[in-house]
Amino acid sequence: MGGESNGQVIFKAIDLKKYFPLRRSLKEILTFSPGRFVRAVDGVTFDIRLGEVFCLVGESGCGKTTTGRMIARLLEPTSGKMLYKPTQETLSKVPPKYVDKDGYVDLSQKLPKRIDKLLRQEIQIVFQDPFGSLNPRMTVYNILKEPLIVHNIGSSEEERREIIYRALSEVKLTPPEQFMERYPHMLSGGQRQRVSIARAMILRPTLVVTDEPVSMLDVSIRAEILQLMLDMQASRNLAYVFITHDLAVANYLCTRIAVMYLGRIVELGPTDLVINNPQHPYTKALIAAVPEPDPSNRFKIREVPIKGEVPSAANIPPGCRFHPRCPYVMDVCKRDEPPMVEVEPGHFVACWLHAKH
Amino acid sequence: MLEVKGLRTYYFTLKGVVKAVDNVTFSLGKGEVLGVAGESGSGKSTLAWSLMGYVPPPGRIAGGQILLDGEDVAKMSEDELRRKVRWKKVSMIFQGAMNALTPVFTIEDQMAEPFIIHMNMTKREARERIVELLKEVGLDESFLRRYPHELSGGQKQRIVIAMALLLNPELVIADEPTTALDVVVQAQIMNLFKKIKKEYNISMIFITHDLSIIAEIADKVAVMYAGKVVELGTSEQIFLNPQHPYTQGLLKSIPKLRSKEKISWIPGTPPNLVTPPPGCRFHPRCPYVMDVCKRDEPPMVEVEPGHFVACHLISRR
Ligand SMILES: Nc1ncnc2c1ncn2[C@@H]1O[C@H](COP(=O)(O)OP(=O)(O)OP(=O)(O)O)[C@@H](O)[C@H]1O
Ligand SMILES: Nc1ncnc2c1ncn2[C@@H]1O[C@H](COP(=O)(O)OP(=O)(O)OP(=O)(O)O)[C@@H](O)[C@H]1O
Ligand code: SF4
Ligand SMILES: [Mg+2]
Ligand SMILES: [Mg+2]
């Protein structure tokens, strides 16, 4: 866990943005004021390598889910690029004019339906809520059959049954025949999350976005789901984007961590470096705030070096968006957005303390 | 100050009796903080409601005693509870309360109500006391005229905490008071609880599924599983020398930020409380299960002063 992954880069996000329009007040309409936006994701750049668990962490509302949904192509970016390198098998079916010289397909271009479907099959998502994300009226069998039908997998019902059987065994819902005919309400939270994972994995994706997959589960069963995810990665060639607000889980599971604040990545690097040698004042504060099961902690005040709370994404401060809360704020911070700087190999920080000005 | 003996709180539902709190015993001294840990559905909130004499139907206290300064809360009438206990002696921060503030009232109006009703204070006197309390929880006077939707999550939680302190209770019960908050705000709120604990010398029952949060505040810990307290002891005993297989499993399942220690899990899921497993309720998930566990309920045994464990591994030793 958290080891080095030297896999090839299969996904690149370049200056990705997603703005949601805010409802305008009557006054704004009458005075023809320009529409205002929630800048949910405001220019993020990162790449994802085969074999790694790439983690997006940050507090509520920082844009993790929005980023994940763009990667899984459930949301159209407002601007920016997403480049994806398909498997050899899929690549052989994509006309060369859609592929760049390094083998990446720009997902923002208009693609033929057939090709688009093949690419979508390779990028899947597991949602946070094991209660809301499964159709309550469908049996487990039908929930898993649906993606097979959509993507024309399996030529007969028998063959599909066989695939579903294997998918359920893989997520350890065994014996599978006992689970196939159940409805979601007849499953525990952990079992439901296994069905969600099976549904994402049944299409044999190479990139899987998992949005807080264990945060609604009881602590005592979380590790089992995390281990299942790691086992599936070991037996297949795939990459995870793991979304979480829990730094301890990120530390346990992830190869690299990207820390988000108000729609931007403020720090990115290998897990050990980000956790043990954090450089951005926000990352430092986040880490200081995490409680640990050590009873001597009750005799100390936990010093968290930042004040206040995250401002609204509809009202992002100018310059460095963290500056109103930063203990090291300088003049330049209030004026200019800090660039991403590589402070040690693979470790990037967006903070004026680390950039020339 | 508080002594709970053999408390049973059951929900009498159409599908059967849910034994949400089943034979729970513990005590709490002045100025002490008891942490109650356990998974979802283990009966933590039901225990808290029982102490307030406030169990929602179809639930009721079916047995046992809740001795508060020697008086049994479990036997009091609704009227007595209202006059003597609720908010004055025991107050509670309900699970999710920060999202239940009345949207059409200003903070001052929400907070003044109990003073005017319970203490016959004038509006002016109430305001003075409220400003004092707001200051105590880190908010200034300007919050008096604000509405809940104008506050952040952390600010709302501070208001809810201030409200629990209004009538100077001896015991504050906090049910998952930081669960919906981000980690930075959570740390700020925990610091506030630490300050209150120190300044007021108040007793607290701190309920959460998160053992790391319990370690931040609790002097004693009760671990609940399926309606029962399976282990009870000082924080040091529970965290550093856990004896019940469930407590041990729970502690091993927490990922840590400052180490890469391998975590593990407890197989299976908690039982349904209408038909809990016979014998030890944990036996279907226990790695050490023996025949006796499936048959007989393990008694609470004191393994060292103040450290109680309900497990046959201990009682047979
Ligand atoms: N469909 C939408 N319309 C308008 N605003 C949105 C929409 N979806 C998200 N937002 C806003 O965009 C910002 C980022 O939201 P997002 O759900 O991506 O955050 P998150 O990091 O996943 O948070 P959480 O940890 O709470 O899940 C928030 O301010 C949110 O309110
Ligand atoms: N009004 C009710 N009617 C019937 N059963 C109930 C009622 N309220 C709670 N229960 C049941 O009682 C048991 C204990 O519930 P309780 O809310 O006390 O658990 P908890 O430990 O607080 O859980 P959580 O961590 O989810 O808040 C559960 O099995 C629950 O389903
Ligand atoms: S060993 Fe102790 S606690 Fe156990 S099943 Fe047996 S238990 Fe229950
Ligand atoms: Mg989210
Ligand atoms: Mg509860």
Side-chain angles (χ1 to χ4, degrees), chain A residues 59-60 218-221 223-224 227 248 251-252 286-287 289-290 292-294 297-298 300 302 304 308-309, chain B residues 39-40 152 154 182 188 191 194 215-216 218-219 236 253 255-260 262-266 285:
Chain A
E59 293 178 279
S60 182
D218 271 321
V219 180
S220 74
I221 61 172
E224 193 175 11
Q227 191 58 48
N251 177 48
Y252 184 72
L286 265 189
I287 289 174
V290 175
E292 297 263 89
D294 173 354
N297 286 346
R298 71 181 185 279
K300 322 172 201 153
R302 187 172 280 284
V304 182
E309 292 175 45
Chain B
E39 294 176 273
S40 182
S152 70
D182 273 318
Q188 294 162 347
N191 284 341
K194 288 177 186 177
E216 288 282 311
D219 305 307
E236 281 70 19
S253 66
K256 303 189 184 55
L257 187 60
R258 291 154 188 101
S259 86
K260 282 255 168 171
K262 189 125 177 89
I263 55 171
S264 53
W265 61 87
I266 305 174
R285 301 177 75 189

Side-chain angles (χ1 to χ4, degrees), chain A residues 66-86:
Chain A
T66 306
T67 305
R69 293 177 74 95
M70 284 193 283
I71 298 172
R73 305 184 63 211
L74 300 172
L75 269 180
E76 190 74 28
T78 305
S79 69
K81 267 195 177 156
M82 295 195 293
L83 305 179
Y84 175 64
K85 184 180 263 178

Side-chain angles (χ1 to χ4, degrees), chain B:
Chain B
M1 189 235 138
L2 175 71
E3 254 196 286
V4 175
K5 291 184 185 164
L7 179 67
R8 294 165 210 272
T9 306
Y10 298 168
Y11 295 98
F12 297 87
T13 71
L14 295 176
K15 286 190 181 154
V17 180
V18 180
K19 300 181 174 180
V21 172
D22 202 15
N23 201 7
V24 164
T25 298
F26 65 88
S27 66
L28 187 65
K30 186 154 178 56
E32 262 185 339
V33 178
L34 170 74
V36 179
E39 294 176 273
S40 182
S42 58
K44 305 182 296 296
S45 294
T46 305
L47 172 62
W49 296 327
S50 309
L51 303 181
M52 289 279 281
Y54 217 76
V55 185
R60 66 183 151 80
I61 294 176
Q65 293 179 304
I66 302 171
L67 300 174
L68 190 63
D69 295 328
E71 277 195 280
D72 191 352
V73 171
K75 297 215 166 46
M76 284 187 193
S77 67
E78 181 61 27
D79 186 53
E80 260 180 304
L81 284 167
R82 214 174 299 149
R83 269 189 299 114
K84 294 206 284 206
V85 179
R86 269 183 224 145
W87 305 111
K88 295 184 184 148
K89 269 195 169 170
V90 186
S91 74
M92 181 158 170
I93 297 164
F94 287 92
Q95 194 167 356
M98 57 183 255
N99 298 315
L101 292 169
T102 320
V104 295
F105 287 151
T106 61
I107 298 306
E108 177 173 5
D109 289 344
Q110 329 230 357
M111 292 183 75
E113 202 185 282
F115 283 124
I116 295 168
I117 294 176
H118 291 280
M119 315 274 282
N120 294 319
M121 276 194 192
T122 64
K123 236 185 142 173
R124 176 102 170 265
E125 289 166 331
R127 170 174 299 176
E128 264 167 40
R129 175 81 180 115
I130 291 168
V131 170
E132 209 175 288
L133 274 164
L134 284 177
K135 209 172 276 159
E136 200 58 38
V137 298
L139 301 174
D140 61 43
E141 225 167 303
S142 75
F143 282 86
L144 285 176
R145 285 172 303 280
R146 296 217 214 168
Y147 290 90
H149 73 265
E150 300 172 316
L151 308 187
S152 70
Q155 289 165 343
K156 277 191 263 187
Q157 193 62 347
R158 286 174 194 269
I159 298 288
V160 170
I161 293 169
M163 288 170 81
L165 298 176
L166 282 177
L167 304 183
N168 283 321
E170 294 166 31
L171 170 65
V172 173
I173 305 170
D175 192 358
E176 305 271 7
T178 66
T179 304
L181 302 173
D182 273 318
V183 57
V184 172
V185 184
Q186 171 174 275
Q188 294 162 347
I189 295 291
M190 289 311 295
N191 284 341
L192 173 60
F193 275 115
K194 288 177 186 177
K195 187 185 104 173
I196 291 168
K197 173 183 174 184
K198 205 165 159 192
E199 282 178 11
Y200 286 60
N201 193 29
I202 215 169
S203 309
M204 281 198 252
I205 295 182
F206 209 93
I207 296 174
T208 167
H209 66 281
D210 186 342
L211 279 166
S212 306
I213 286 297
I214 288 202
E216 288 282 311
I217 187 93
D219 305 307
K220 279 172 146 182
V221 182
V223 179
M224 287 189 78
Y225 184 78
K228 299 215 166 260
V229 171
V230 295
E231 185 160 6
L232 173 69
T234 65
S235 284
E236 281 70 19
Q237 289 165 345
I238 299 293
F239 284 101
L240 308 179
N241 186 25
Q243 295 296 310
H244 196 284
Y246 176 65
T247 314
Q248 292 170 348
L250 210 51
L251 282 167
K252 281 195 211 125
S253 66
I254 308 174
K256 303 189 184 55
L257 187 60
R258 291 154 188 101
S259 86
K260 282 255 168 171
E261 211 174 292
K262 189 125 177 89
I263 55 171
S264 53
W265 61 87
I266 305 174
T269 43
N272 117 19
L273 296 185
V274 178
T275 48
C280 170
R281 290 185 178 186
F282 185 59
H283 89 251
R285 301 177 75 189
C286 182
Y288 309 109
V289 56
M290 303 166 288
D291 277 344
V292 61
C293 308
K294 300 177 190 169
R295 202 176 53 233
D296 302 332
E297 194 170 303
M300 262 287 186
V301 175
E302 189 164 13
V303 290
E304 57 185 314
H307 188 178
F308 299 85
V309 184
C311 168
H312 287 299
L313 288 172
I314 305 292
S315 43
R316 303 191 119 202
R317 198 151 73 189

Side-chain angles (χ1 to χ4, degrees), chain A residues 149-339:
Chain A
I149 305 239
V150 170
H151 290 279
N152 298 318
I153 294 171
S155 48
S156 64
E157 191 67 22
E158 252 115 90
E159 198 180 329
R160 289 193 194 111
R161 192 175 187 85
E162 185 54 39
I163 296 172
I164 292 169
Y165 189 95
R166 265 188 278 125
L168 285 172
S169 338
E170 205 179 1
V171 297
K172 308 212 166 60
L173 288 174
T174 47
E177 46 287 37
Q178 270 196 21
F179 287 93
M180 284 182 184
E181 296 315 317
R182 292 206 203 166
Y183 289 89
H185 74 264
M186 300 156 95
L187 303 172
S188 70
Q191 290 169 338
R192 272 183 256 213
Q193 207 52 305
R194 286 162 196 273
V195 174
S196 306
I197 291 173
R199 178 176 59 181
M201 293 293 183
I202 205 163
L203 294 169
R204 312 226 126 242
T206 46
L207 179 56
V208 180
V209 178
T210 58
D211 190 357
E212 311 255 15
V214 296
S215 49
M216 295 191 53
L217 302 178
D218 271 321
V219 180
S220 74
I221 61 172
R222 284 183 189 174
E224 193 175 11
I225 299 287
L226 297 178
Q227 191 58 48
L228 175 69
M229 286 178 49
L230 291 174
D231 291 347
M232 294 185 105
Q233 186 174 42
S235 65
R236 299 166 173 215
N237 206 12
L238 59 82
Y240 286 114
V241 175
F242 188 86
I243 294 175
T244 180
H245 65 276
D246 187 339
L247 269 170
V249 173
N251 177 48
Y252 184 72
L253 193 75
C254 298
T255 323
R256 288 190 301 148
I257 293 182
V259 181
M260 292 187 72
Y261 185 76
L262 270 180
R264 283 185 83 91
I265 293 174
V266 296
E267 183 156 4
L268 187 160
T271 301
D272 282 340
L273 300 183
V274 173
I275 300 291
N276 300 317
N277 188 24
Q279 294 299 315
H280 196 284
Y282 177 64
T283 315
K284 287 183 186 174
L286 265 189
I287 289 174
V290 175
E292 297 263 89
D294 173 354
S296 69
N297 286 346
R298 71 181 185 279
F299 303 115
K300 322 172 201 153
I301 288 287
R302 187 172 280 284
E303 298 296 344
V304 182
I306 58 175
K307 27 185 202 294
E309 292 175 45
V310 186
S312 145
N315 222 335
I316 294 180
C320 169
R321 53 198 66 203
F322 183 63
H323 89 253
R325 303 177 71 195
C326 184
Y328 308 105
V329 58
M330 303 168 286
D331 278 343
V332 60
C333 310
K334 300 178 188 164
R335 206 173 50 230
D336 300 325
E337 185 109 46

